[in-house]
């Protein structure tokens, strides 16, 4: 499949997975790619019938009806813990991903690898994972047009811990070639937020703390 950089990174992080659940599958391109890479079975799920119909068309076109199954459900409610060894949730807001995982505590037990790609609020997701004892084992950065996206692989089963760097980035991300760019863009986002809060007469203390963390890391990364 001709995957986007975000989905390509997710596919690489799923390496070795035999049975995969893809929540919010869209056209099922990732499921097909993972089967082509050696997965035994993939589940393409979505909360809406429209995306599932597109997924079925992709699956049929690739002749994979026997190994890629579509599932109409909300989040992980249509699945049992023994159905997969990897769960992929890509292309959703960080808050939404947190909600999906919170509604399925079995996904946080450590039995499944979690491959997550938040479109927004990645720091919220990292803090959620820390509170629920999910260690971020790898985190990639993918560039699409002018945006940088985080794609993380995490596994539960650990003791809860405090998210490093306030959840703004993970230690696993430091080896990425785009890390310095990511820090710079996050710092600029904080500066814009600070100015907005100043103009609105609101306290910017928390944002200032975030900016300080990012600037300190930028200094070390250069």
């Amino acid at each position: 499949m001709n995957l986007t950089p975000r989905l390509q990174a997710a596919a690489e992080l799923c390496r070795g997975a035999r049975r995969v659940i893809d929540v919010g599958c869209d056209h099922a391109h990732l499921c097909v790619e993972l089967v082509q890479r050696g997965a035994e079975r993939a589940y393409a799920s979505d909360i809406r019938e429209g995306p599932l119909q597109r997924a079925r068309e992709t699956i049929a076109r690739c002749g994979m009806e026997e190994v890629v199954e579509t599932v109409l459900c909300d989040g992980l409610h249509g699945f049992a813990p023994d159905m997969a060894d990897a769960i992929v949730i890509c292309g959703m807001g960080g808050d939404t991903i947190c909600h999906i995982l919170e509604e399925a505590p079995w996904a946080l037990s450590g039995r499944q690898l979690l491959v997550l790609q938040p479109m927004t609020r990645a720091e919220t997701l990292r803090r959620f994972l820390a509170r629920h004892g999910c260690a971020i084992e790898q985190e990639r950065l993918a560039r699409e047009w002018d945006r940088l996206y985080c794609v993380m692989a995490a596994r539960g089963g650990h003791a809860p811990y405090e998210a490093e760097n306030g959840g703004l980035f993970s230690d696993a991300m430091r080896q990425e070639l785009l890390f310095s760019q990511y820090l710079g863009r996050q710092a600029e986002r904080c500066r814009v937020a600070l100015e907005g809060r100043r103009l609105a007469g609101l306290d910017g203390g928390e944002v200032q703390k975030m900016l300080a963390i990012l600037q300190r890391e930028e200094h070390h990364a250069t």
Side-chain angles (χ1 to χ4, degrees), residues 1-211:
M1 302 303 299
N2 186 22
L3 299 180
T4 64
R6 292 181 297 115
L7 294 184
Q8 184 69 34
E12 291 169 1
L13 290 175
C14 284
R15 185 175 294 133
R18 295 178 299 107
R19 293 168 294 130
V20 182
I21 296 169
D22 182 11
V23 179
C25 64
D26 196 18
H27 289 74
H29 290 169
L30 180 60
C31 288
V32 169
E33 175 73 17
L34 292 175
V35 169
Q36 290 175 338
R37 292 185 181 209
E40 298 171 3
R41 190 164 193 82
Y43 298 93
S45 82
D46 206 281
I47 195 172
R48 295 172 295 153
E49 182 60 37
L52 281 187
Q53 183 55 41
R54 293 193 293 270
R56 293 186 193 102
E57 292 168 2
T58 300
I59 295 164
R61 187 167 64 249
C62 297
M64 292 189 174
E65 297 95 327
E66 297 299 317
V67 287
V68 182
E69 179 181 340
T70 59
V71 180
L72 180 66
C73 69
D74 183 2
L76 289 164
H77 287 293
F79 300 98
D82 60 352
M83 292 179 69
D85 54 9
I87 296 169
V88 179
I89 311 177
C90 291
M92 301 183 194
D95 288 331
T96 300
I97 295 175
C98 293
H99 176 72
I100 290 171
L101 294 174
E102 198 163 34
E103 290 285 300
W106 55 269
L108 304 171
S109 68
R111 291 179 60 183
Q112 288 84 17
L113 178 70
L114 305 175
V115 176
L116 312 170
Q117 185 272 301
M119 299 295 282
T120 59
R121 302 185 69 83
E123 64 279 3
T124 298
L125 178 56
R126 293 190 195 97
R127 291 195 293 264
F128 172 90
L129 293 172
R131 289 197 307 272
H132 290 81
C134 297
I136 298 176
E137 299 175 350
Q138 297 184 68
E139 186 162 4
R140 305 282 177 84
L141 286 166
R143 193 207 315 265
E144 288 187 14
W145 300 101
D146 193 41
R147 291 193 64 180
L148 291 179
Y149 297 97
C150 310
V151 191
M152 57 191 79
R155 191 179 293 275
H158 304 276
Y161 61 96
E162 187 73 23
E164 55 195 349
N165 312 304
L168 291 168
F169 54 89
S170 68
D171 187 58
M173 193 195 288
R174 284 194 169 99
Q175 306 305 313
E176 289 293 291
L177 292 176
L178 297 171
F179 182 52
S180 292
Q181 288 187 40
Y182 181 80
L183 291 173
R185 293 187 184 197
Q186 293 297 97
E188 182 58 26
R189 189 185 72 163
C190 286
R191 293 187 189 98
V192 171
L194 272 175
E195 180 62 13
R197 297 186 77 81
R198 184 187 68 79
L199 292 173
L202 300 174
D203 178 63
E206 286 303 312
V207 180
Q208 189 63 58
K209 289 179 184 177
M210 294 166 62
L211 180 59

